[in-house]
Amino acid sequence: MNEQRATSPARRLDGDPVRVLVVDDEPDVTEVLAGVMTGEGWQVRTAADGASALAAARDFHPDAVVLDWMLPDMDGLRVLRALRRAEPTLCVLFLTARDAVEDRIAGITAGGDDYVTKPYSLEEVLARLRGLLRRAGMTAGADTDGLTVGDLTMNEEAREVRRGGTPVDLSRTEFELLRFLMRNPRRVLSKEQILDRVWAYDFGGRAHVVELYISYLRKKIDAGRTPMIHTVRGVGYVLKPGPR
């Protein structure tokens, strides 16, 4: 095979699927996140406010919680403290538009494990959750954080990319775009799918942004080499290894 995932889907140590509780009062957010996590093979519950989140946590016993800071009945810090009292080892990822340094400090001090600001990349949210679960010793089956397609490799944890052993320097957005392509080798991805997964649910841009970043990637990944990123006219883009 020319391409492979070096990671297996994260599962609990008992072999059952990872359980994640997504707490946000915006239905579009919870729907998109739940769909992506379900695609990872995880079990997902959603809640739209703090009281519902605490009730769901008591019933669902999640391994991780994606928690919005601003909720209609109480703020995320209050929810976090209540969750921590019930389950001290729970992994909590804050997801919020508040990006001031003092807010980050407050979230981490209150017991949050990590912090992602809106607008966000869905791939980044998944990577952060995998990292939290792995470091907490809650999951098994993933020995490395690598993706390989042909002679193109990516270390997700270290955020390193190499083509034919040569390091490739990518911006954050270029990295997320390439990661999405590498997670779907030989699969044609539409511009709409790429916008949704790389630029997140609330991105207000146009498809030309995808075209622009694909051109950036081509200059860095394909320049002087057998092309791996291909355009399927009228449909989208596909990443596949060249002939050996």
Side-chain angles (χ1 to χ4, degrees), residues 36-64:
V36 171
M37 293 175 190
T38 300
E40 287 284 302
W42 300 350
Q43 292 183 3
V44 185
R45 290 274 185 93
T46 63
D49 55 51
S52 298
L54 296 177
R58 288 192 294 270
D59 175 61
F60 185 50
H61 302 291
D63 302 298

PDB file of all heavy atoms in Angstrom, residues 36-64:
ATOM      1  N   VAL A  36     -18.387  14.952  13.301  1.00  0.00           N
ATOM      2  CA  VAL A  36     -16.975  14.657  13.074  1.00  0.00           C
ATOM      3  C   VAL A  36     -16.475  13.618  14.080  1.00  0.00           C
ATOM      4  O   VAL A  36     -15.740  12.686  13.725  1.00  0.00           O
ATOM      5  CB  VAL A  36     -16.137  15.946  13.180  1.00  0.00           C
ATOM      6  CG1 VAL A  36     -14.657  15.640  13.170  1.00  0.00           C
ATOM      7  CG2 VAL A  36     -16.479  16.892  12.034  1.00  0.00           C
ATOM      8  N   MET A  37     -16.866  13.755  15.337  1.00  0.00           N
ATOM      9  CA  MET A  37     -16.406  12.817  16.360  1.00  0.00           C
ATOM     10  C   MET A  37     -17.028  11.439  16.179  1.00  0.00           C
ATOM     11  O   MET A  37     -16.371  10.414  16.422  1.00  0.00           O
ATOM     12  CB  MET A  37     -16.722  13.380  17.741  1.00  0.00           C
ATOM     13  CG  MET A  37     -15.937  14.626  18.069  1.00  0.00           C
ATOM     14  SD  MET A  37     -16.444  15.358  19.641  1.00  0.00           S
ATOM     15  CE  MET A  37     -15.567  16.928  19.559  1.00  0.00           C
ATOM     16  N   THR A  38     -18.275  11.397  15.751  1.00  0.00           N
ATOM     17  CA  THR A  38     -18.905  10.111  15.456  1.00  0.00           C
ATOM     18  C   THR A  38     -18.152   9.412  14.324  1.00  0.00           C
ATOM     19  O   THR A  38     -17.979   8.190  14.337  1.00  0.00           O
ATOM     20  CB  THR A  38     -20.378  10.300  15.079  1.00  0.00           C
ATOM     21  OG1 THR A  38     -21.078  10.914  16.173  1.00  0.00           O
ATOM     22  CG2 THR A  38     -21.041   8.960  14.761  1.00  0.00           C
ATOM     23  N   GLY A  39     -17.688  10.216  13.367  1.00  0.00           N
ATOM     24  CA  GLY A  39     -16.886   9.664  12.276  1.00  0.00           C
ATOM     25  C   GLY A  39     -15.573   9.077  12.759  1.00  0.00           C
ATOM     26  O   GLY A  39     -14.970   8.240  12.077  1.00  0.00           O
ATOM     27  N   GLU A  40     -15.100   9.520  13.931  1.00  0.00           N
ATOM     28  CA  GLU A  40     -13.889   8.959  14.534  1.00  0.00           C
ATOM     29  C   GLU A  40     -14.163   7.632  15.235  1.00  0.00           C
ATOM     30  O   GLU A  40     -13.252   6.969  15.708  1.00  0.00           O
ATOM     31  CB  GLU A  40     -13.317   9.936  15.569  1.00  0.00           C
ATOM     32  CG  GLU A  40     -12.663  11.154  14.989  1.00  0.00           C
ATOM     33  CD  GLU A  40     -11.296  10.835  14.418  1.00  0.00           C
ATOM     34  OE1 GLU A  40     -10.435  10.347  15.163  1.00  0.00           O
ATOM     35  OE2 GLU A  40     -11.106  11.067  13.216  1.00  0.00           O
ATOM     36  N   GLY A  41     -15.445   7.267  15.312  1.00  0.00           N
ATOM     37  CA  GLY A  41     -15.808   6.048  16.024  1.00  0.00           C
ATOM     38  C   GLY A  41     -16.093   6.280  17.491  1.00  0.00           C
ATOM     39  O   GLY A  41     -16.208   5.325  18.272  1.00  0.00           O
ATOM     40  N   TRP A  42     -16.225   7.548  17.897  1.00  0.00           N
ATOM     41  CA  TRP A  42     -16.484   7.878  19.293  1.00  0.00           C
ATOM     42  C   TRP A  42     -17.980   7.949  19.560  1.00  0.00           C
ATOM     43  O   TRP A  42     -18.784   8.184  18.648  1.00  0.00           O
ATOM     44  CB  TRP A  42     -15.861   9.229  19.653  1.00  0.00           C
ATOM     45  CG  TRP A  42     -14.377   9.287  19.461  1.00  0.00           C
ATOM     46  CD1 TRP A  42     -13.532   8.247  19.190  1.00  0.00           C
ATOM     47  CD2 TRP A  42     -13.555  10.449  19.503  1.00  0.00           C
ATOM     48  NE1 TRP A  42     -12.234   8.684  19.080  1.00  0.00           N
ATOM     49  CE2 TRP A  42     -12.211  10.026  19.259  1.00  0.00           C
ATOM     50  CE3 TRP A  42     -13.809  11.797  19.731  1.00  0.00           C
ATOM     51  CZ2 TRP A  42     -11.139  10.917  19.239  1.00  0.00           C
ATOM     52  CZ3 TRP A  42     -12.739  12.688  19.702  1.00  0.00           C
ATOM     53  CH2 TRP A  42     -11.424  12.253  19.467  1.00  0.00           C
ATOM     54  N   GLN A  43     -18.362   7.770  20.819  1.00  0.00           N
ATOM     55  CA  GLN A  43     -19.736   8.002  21.254  1.00  0.00           C
ATOM     56  C   GLN A  43     -19.844   9.455  21.699  1.00  0.00           C
ATOM     57  O   GLN A  43     -18.980   9.949  22.427  1.00  0.00           O
ATOM     58  CB  GLN A  43     -20.106   7.071  22.404  1.00  0.00           C
ATOM     59  CG  GLN A  43     -20.196   5.608  22.007  1.00  0.00           C
ATOM     60  CD  GLN A  43     -20.640   4.721  23.158  1.00  0.00           C
ATOM     61  OE1 GLN A  43     -20.940   5.192  24.254  1.00  0.00           O
ATOM     62  NE2 GLN A  43     -20.666   3.431  22.918  1.00  0.00           N
ATOM     63  N   VAL A  44     -20.903  10.139  21.281  1.00  0.00           N
ATOM     64  CA  VAL A  44     -21.017  11.568  21.543  1.00  0.00           C
ATOM     65  C   VAL A  44     -22.392  11.909  22.109  1.00  0.00           C
ATOM     66  O   VAL A  44     -23.412  11.404  21.629  1.00  0.00           O
ATOM     67  CB  VAL A  44     -20.795  12.385  20.253  1.00  0.00           C
ATOM     68  CG1 VAL A  44     -20.794  13.884  20.562  1.00  0.00           C
ATOM     69  CG2 VAL A  44     -19.487  11.989  19.577  1.00  0.00           C
ATOM     70  N   ARG A  45     -22.407  12.738  23.121  1.00  0.00           N
ATOM     71  CA  ARG A  45     -23.627  13.360  23.627  1.00  0.00           C
ATOM     72  C   ARG A  45     -23.457  14.868  23.511  1.00  0.00           C
ATOM     73  O   ARG A  45     -22.327  15.376  23.560  1.00  0.00           O
ATOM     74  CB  ARG A  45     -23.863  13.015  25.100  1.00  0.00           C
ATOM     75  CG  ARG A  45     -24.257  11.576  25.368  1.00  0.00           C
ATOM     76  CD  ARG A  45     -25.740  11.332  25.231  1.00  0.00           C
ATOM     77  NE  ARG A  45     -26.077   9.973  25.620  1.00  0.00           N
ATOM     78  CZ  ARG A  45     -26.457   9.613  26.841  1.00  0.00           C
ATOM     79  NH1 ARG A  45     -26.560  10.530  27.798  1.00  0.00           N
ATOM     80  NH2 ARG A  45     -26.738   8.350  27.114  1.00  0.00           N
ATOM     81  N   THR A  46     -24.550  15.589  23.384  1.00  0.00           N
ATOM     82  CA  THR A  46     -24.487  17.046  23.308  1.00  0.00           C
ATOM     83  C   THR A  46     -25.386  17.664  24.369  1.00  0.00           C
ATOM     84  O   THR A  46     -26.359  17.053  24.819  1.00  0.00           O
ATOM     85  CB  THR A  46     -24.910  17.557  21.915  1.00  0.00           C
ATOM     86  OG1 THR A  46     -26.283  17.214  21.676  1.00  0.00           O
ATOM     87  CG2 THR A  46     -24.033  16.957  20.828  1.00  0.00           C
ATOM     88  N   ALA A  47     -25.057  18.895  24.750  1.00  0.00           N
ATOM     89  CA  ALA A  47     -25.870  19.651  25.705  1.00  0.00           C
ATOM     90  C   ALA A  47     -25.790  21.124  25.324  1.00  0.00           C
ATOM     91  O   ALA A  47     -24.762  21.593  24.837  1.00  0.00           O
ATOM     92  CB  ALA A  47     -25.366  19.435  27.132  1.00  0.00           C
ATOM     93  N   ALA A  48     -26.892  21.850  25.543  1.00  0.00           N
ATOM     94  CA  ALA A  48     -26.976  23.251  25.127  1.00  0.00           C
ATOM     95  C   ALA A  48     -26.821  24.231  26.276  1.00  0.00           C
ATOM     96  O   ALA A  48     -26.779  25.443  26.055  1.00  0.00           O
ATOM     97  CB  ALA A  48     -28.289  23.508  24.407  1.00  0.00           C
ATOM     98  N   ASP A  49     -26.735  23.753  27.516  1.00  0.00           N
ATOM     99  CA  ASP A  49     -26.548  24.648  28.659  1.00  0.00           C
ATOM    100  C   ASP A  49     -25.858  23.890  29.784  1.00  0.00           C
ATOM    101  O   ASP A  49     -25.655  22.676  29.709  1.00  0.00           O
ATOM    102  CB  ASP A  49     -27.886  25.233  29.131  1.00  0.00           C
ATOM    103  CG  ASP A  49     -28.922  24.176  29.466  1.00  0.00           C
ATOM    104  OD1 ASP A  49     -28.606  23.244  30.233  1.00  0.00           O
ATOM    105  OD2 ASP A  49     -30.056  24.262  28.949  1.00  0.00           O
ATOM    106  N   GLY A  50     -25.508  24.632  30.830  1.00  0.00           N
ATOM    107  CA  GLY A  50     -24.751  24.037  31.914  1.00  0.00           C
ATOM    108  C   GLY A  50     -25.489  22.950  32.663  1.00  0.00           C
ATOM    109  O   GLY A  50     -24.919  21.893  32.966  1.00  0.00           O
ATOM    110  N   ALA A  51     -26.766  23.194  32.977  1.00  0.00           N
ATOM    111  CA  ALA A  51     -27.542  22.207  33.731  1.00  0.00           C
ATOM    112  C   ALA A  51     -27.671  20.904  32.950  1.00  0.00           C
ATOM    113  O   ALA A  51     -27.523  19.808  33.505  1.00  0.00           O
ATOM    114  CB  ALA A  51     -28.921  22.779  34.050  1.00  0.00           C
ATOM    115  N   SER A  52     -27.930  21.016  31.648  1.00  0.00           N
ATOM    116  CA  SER A  52     -28.054  19.822  30.812  1.00  0.00           C
ATOM    117  C   SER A  52     -26.717  19.095  30.713  1.00  0.00           C
ATOM    118  O   SER A  52     -26.665  17.864  30.670  1.00  0.00           O
ATOM    119  CB  SER A  52     -28.530  20.202  29.405  1.00  0.00           C
ATOM    120  OG  SER A  52     -29.810  20.792  29.450  1.00  0.00           O
ATOM    121  N   ALA A  53     -25.631  19.865  30.674  1.00  0.00           N
ATOM    122  CA  ALA A  53     -24.301  19.269  30.599  1.00  0.00           C
ATOM    123  C   ALA A  53     -24.000  18.438  31.843  1.00  0.00           C
ATOM    124  O   ALA A  53     -23.488  17.318  31.742  1.00  0.00           O
ATOM    125  CB  ALA A  53     -23.249  20.352  30.420  1.00  0.00           C
ATOM    126  N   LEU A  54     -24.313  18.981  33.013  1.00  0.00           N
ATOM    127  CA  LEU A  54     -24.041  18.259  34.252  1.00  0.00           C
ATOM    128  C   LEU A  54     -24.905  17.007  34.364  1.00  0.00           C
ATOM    129  O   LEU A  54     -24.439  15.954  34.816  1.00  0.00           O
ATOM    130  CB  LEU A  54     -24.282  19.180  35.452  1.00  0.00           C
ATOM    131  CG  LEU A  54     -23.343  20.392  35.532  1.00  0.00           C
ATOM    132  CD1 LEU A  54     -23.712  21.273  36.716  1.00  0.00           C
ATOM    133  CD2 LEU A  54     -21.893  19.948  35.630  1.00  0.00           C
ATOM    134  N   ALA A  55     -26.162  17.103  33.914  1.00  0.00           N
ATOM    135  CA  ALA A  55     -27.045  15.937  33.925  1.00  0.00           C
ATOM    136  C   ALA A  55     -26.532  14.872  32.960  1.00  0.00           C
ATOM    137  O   ALA A  55     -26.511  13.677  33.273  1.00  0.00           O
ATOM    138  CB  ALA A  55     -28.470  16.351  33.559  1.00  0.00           C
ATOM    139  N   ALA A  56     -26.096  15.304  31.770  1.00  0.00           N
ATOM    140  CA  ALA A  56     -25.580  14.359  30.781  1.00  0.00           C
ATOM    141  C   ALA A  56     -24.309  13.692  31.282  1.00  0.00           C
ATOM    142  O   ALA A  56     -24.099  12.494  31.054  1.00  0.00           O
ATOM    143  CB  ALA A  56     -25.315  15.078  29.464  1.00  0.00           C
ATOM    144  N   ALA A  57     -23.453  14.449  31.958  1.00  0.00           N
ATOM    145  CA  ALA A  57     -22.205  13.886  32.477  1.00  0.00           C
ATOM    146  C   ALA A  57     -22.486  12.800  33.513  1.00  0.00           C
ATOM    147  O   ALA A  57     -21.805  11.765  33.538  1.00  0.00           O
ATOM    148  CB  ALA A  57     -21.342  14.989  33.076  1.00  0.00           C
ATOM    149  N   ARG A  58     -23.495  13.009  34.351  1.00  0.00           N
ATOM    150  CA  ARG A  58     -23.837  12.011  35.372  1.00  0.00           C
ATOM    151  C   ARG A  58     -24.340  10.726  34.723  1.00  0.00           C
ATOM    152  O   ARG A  58     -24.060   9.620  35.200  1.00  0.00           O
ATOM    153  CB  ARG A  58     -24.890  12.569  36.325  1.00  0.00           C
ATOM    154  CG  ARG A  58     -24.370  13.632  37.280  1.00  0.00           C
ATOM    155  CD  ARG A  58     -25.373  13.925  38.381  1.00  0.00           C
ATOM    156  NE  ARG A  58     -26.602  14.535  37.851  1.00  0.00           N
ATOM    157  CZ  ARG A  58     -26.779  15.848  37.715  1.00  0.00           C
ATOM    158  NH1 ARG A  58     -25.819  16.683  38.076  1.00  0.00           N
ATOM    159  NH2 ARG A  58     -27.917  16.322  37.255  1.00  0.00           N
ATOM    160  N   ASP A  59     -25.057  10.856  33.620  1.00  0.00           N
ATOM    161  CA  ASP A  59     -25.643   9.692  32.962  1.00  0.00           C
ATOM    162  C   ASP A  59     -24.692   9.023  31.979  1.00  0.00           C
ATOM    163  O   ASP A  59     -24.634   7.797  31.880  1.00  0.00           O
ATOM    164  CB  ASP A  59     -26.917  10.129  32.218  1.00  0.00           C
ATOM    165  CG  ASP A  59     -27.534   9.008  31.414  1.00  0.00           C
ATOM    166  OD1 ASP A  59     -27.928   7.997  32.006  1.00  0.00           O
ATOM    167  OD2 ASP A  59     -27.611   9.143  30.163  1.00  0.00           O
ATOM    168  N   PHE A  60     -23.912   9.831  31.261  1.00  0.00           N
ATOM    169  CA  PHE A  60     -23.092   9.363  30.140  1.00  0.00           C
ATOM    170  C   PHE A  60     -21.685   8.955  30.544  1.00  0.00           C
ATOM    171  O   PHE A  60     -21.056   8.121  29.899  1.00  0.00           O
ATOM    172  CB  PHE A  60     -23.040  10.479  29.098  1.00  0.00           C
ATOM    173  CG  PHE A  60     -22.346  10.153  27.822  1.00  0.00           C
ATOM    174  CD1 PHE A  60     -22.640   8.996  27.099  1.00  0.00           C
ATOM    175  CD2 PHE A  60     -21.392  11.024  27.297  1.00  0.00           C
ATOM    176  CE1 PHE A  60     -22.013   8.714  25.895  1.00  0.00           C
ATOM    177  CE2 PHE A  60     -20.755  10.752  26.095  1.00  0.00           C
ATOM    178  CZ  PHE A  60     -21.069   9.595  25.399  1.00  0.00           C
ATOM    179  N   HIS A  61     -21.168   9.533  31.614  1.00  0.00           N
ATOM    180  CA  HIS A  61     -19.808   9.280  32.096  1.00  0.00           C
ATOM    181  C   HIS A  61     -18.773   9.469  30.980  1.00  0.00           C
ATOM    182  O   HIS A  61     -18.069   8.520  30.582  1.00  0.00           O
ATOM    183  CB  HIS A  61     -19.689   7.865  32.678  1.00  0.00           C
ATOM    184  CG  HIS A  61     -20.627   7.588  33.796  1.00  0.00           C
ATOM    185  ND1 HIS A  61     -20.518   8.194  35.029  1.00  0.00           N
ATOM    186  CD2 HIS A  61     -21.733   6.796  33.863  1.00  0.00           C
ATOM    187  CE1 HIS A  61     -21.494   7.775  35.819  1.00  0.00           C
ATOM    188  NE2 HIS A  61     -22.248   6.928  35.139  1.00  0.00           N
ATOM    189  N   PRO A  62     -18.643  10.682  30.469  1.00  0.00           N
ATOM    190  CA  PRO A  62     -17.726  10.921  29.345  1.00  0.00           C
ATOM    191  C   PRO A  62     -16.267  10.819  29.766  1.00  0.00           C
ATOM    192  O   PRO A  62     -15.922  10.999  30.935  1.00  0.00           O
ATOM    193  CB  PRO A  62     -18.074  12.348  28.907  1.00  0.00           C
ATOM    194  CG  PRO A  62     -18.560  13.009  30.170  1.00  0.00           C
ATOM    195  CD  PRO A  62     -19.319  11.927  30.895  1.00  0.00           C
ATOM    196  N   ASP A  63     -15.422  10.550  28.771  1.00  0.00           N
ATOM    197  CA  ASP A  63     -13.976  10.576  28.988  1.00  0.00           C
ATOM    198  C   ASP A  63     -13.440  11.988  28.788  1.00  0.00           C
ATOM    199  O   ASP A  63     -12.402  12.350  29.345  1.00  0.00           O
ATOM    200  CB  ASP A  63     -13.282   9.640  28.003  1.00  0.00           C
ATOM    201  CG  ASP A  63     -13.785   8.213  28.130  1.00  0.00           C
ATOM    202  OD1 ASP A  63     -13.601   7.635  29.215  1.00  0.00           O
ATOM    203  OD2 ASP A  63     -14.358   7.702  27.157  1.00  0.00           O
ATOM    204  N   ALA A  64     -14.126  12.768  27.951  1.00  0.00           N
ATOM    205  CA  ALA A  64     -13.695  14.134  27.648  1.00  0.00           C
ATOM    206  C   ALA A  64     -14.918  15.010  27.418  1.00  0.00           C
ATOM    207  O   ALA A  64     -15.976  14.524  27.004  1.00  0.00           O
ATOM    208  CB  ALA A  64     -12.788  14.161  26.415  1.00  0.00           C
TER     209      ALA A  64
END
